[in-house]
Amino acid sequence: MASQNLRTPGPTPLPSAVRDALARDMINHRGPEFAELMHECVDGLKWAFQTQHDLLILTASGSGGLESIVVNTLSPGDKLLAISIGYFGDRLIAIARAFGVDVVPMRLDDGHAADPQQIADALRADPAIQTVFVTHNETSTGVLNPLEAIARAVKETRPEALLLVDGISSVGSVPLQPEEWGMDVVVAGSQKGWMVPPGLAFVSVSPRALERSAQARLPRSYFDWQAHRRSAERGQTPWTPAVGLFFGLQAGLRLMRDEGLERLFERHRQMAAYTRNGLVELDLRLVADSDHASPTVTTAYVPEGINAKELLEALRSRHDVVLAGGQGRLDGKIIRVAHLGWFDQDDLDEALLALRIELNKVRAADSSSPATARA
Ligand SMILES: *Cc1c(COP(=O)(O)O)cnc(C)c1O
């Protein structure tokens, strides 16, 4: 099979060093080899998260990491201010409600970031809120929230509240500083910027969040942070981990260290700007407010009269370029071009060229059709 130009925001392409690592034979997950492997992975993750907080590795997709933050920090009936700027923010709300949390939702229109002032106002209006959730990078709309300002607003308005962050499509690709900014919990997922297949979730947990988890009373078992912490002291996980993915993670983190965090962040910033310009040159209207455009995924509306599914299928079958479509209410309305993890400008040039060719085709067909008059 010809190799595809996979431009979806997870899974992302794998460098050959990672693929080789994934092919290794198994080791005993209760032996010294695994303890050493886990130690290196935890160290590397702390480096990329820029934190000294506890770092737990769960065998689960990103959503499992999100479930873990709900069940470890909340008790039945607790109020959670959940800020959603899209599909993945809504997912956290759904998880929290499934567990009986009293969610106070704050939803913003697609393409817009959250407003720190509005968050401070919501906290002032409801003294019972002791936990706040926000998405760092909303992958469904390509919007990066102003996380530092949001964290400051929470800290100033309700210093005792825990701040929980979905950083699944940002951590490792976009700067953030858990201690300095005041974030208690941050979740990431292996198939986004880490150059590793899906299956591992990474969670950084502050000392206050650990204290909360010792008291929290929602039902939990597999995702119990306390159990994960106890096992981690022995270089283990409480349940059998996805050992093969740990090998891949080790290789991916080594590549990230070789590149260096600052260069890595800068590459994502530059390539995002490049992609936005490329899409605007194709006369596409961007979804994200330009002040808050994501460094890892760029989104644009599909022009009226063009079928999004057919366009994506033409790109895939004729050009081996795989873009993502819209999710939830944006299904059929937008396309998403990912630029995170292992990629370079050539991958984007190829995707933009394929898009130009296919858009020109449908636009030419449209303007030559006699039925262009609008009803
Ligand atoms: C991908 C993603 C998720 C969901 O992760 P899964 O690994 O698909 O469970 C949640 N939040 C954000 C921001 C994401 O990008």
Side-chain angles (χ1 to χ4, degrees), residues 219-239:
R220 64 186 193 221
S221 171
Y222 184 79
F223 290 129
D224 185 359
W225 288 346
Q226 301 288 334
H228 279 269
R229 268 197 93 215
R230 278 193 301 275
S231 294
E233 284 167 15
R234 285 172 286 137
Q236 296 183 10
T237 54
W239 335 114

Side-chain angles (χ1 to χ4, degrees), residues 9 61-64 66 88 91 135 137-139 166 168-169 191-192:
S61 84
S63 302
L66 294 180
F88 288 110
R91 178 172 301 179
T135 315
N137 186 73
E138 178 50 73
T139 320
D166 174 349
I168 293 177
S169 62
Q191 83 275 28
K192 303 291 167 104

Side-chain angles (χ1 to χ4, degrees), residues 274-298:
Y274 187 79
T275 307
R276 286 198 298 278
N277 287 338
L279 293 177
V280 168
E281 275 175 21
L282 297 178
D283 276 333
L284 295 177
R285 186 162 64 91
L286 301 178
V287 178
D289 157 8
S290 61
D291 291 338
H292 300 289
S294 165
T296 58
V297 57
T298 298

Side-chain angles (χ1 to χ4, degrees), residues 69 72-74 79-81 123 129-134 154-155 158-165 182-185 205-213 216 225:
I69 73 180
N72 282 281
T73 64
L74 294 159
K79 277 194 169 175
L80 170 70
L81 175 62
L123 287 173
I129 297 170
Q130 295 296 324
T131 315
V132 179
F133 166 82
V134 69
V154 172
K155 201 160 37 177
R158 180 104 358 114
E160 70 277 20
L162 290 189
L163 178 57
L164 316 176
V165 176
M183 283 133 42
D184 292 286
V185 181
V205 185
S206 73
R208 312 198 292 170
L210 277 174
E211 275 169 36
R212 175 80 78 83
S213 76
W225 288 346

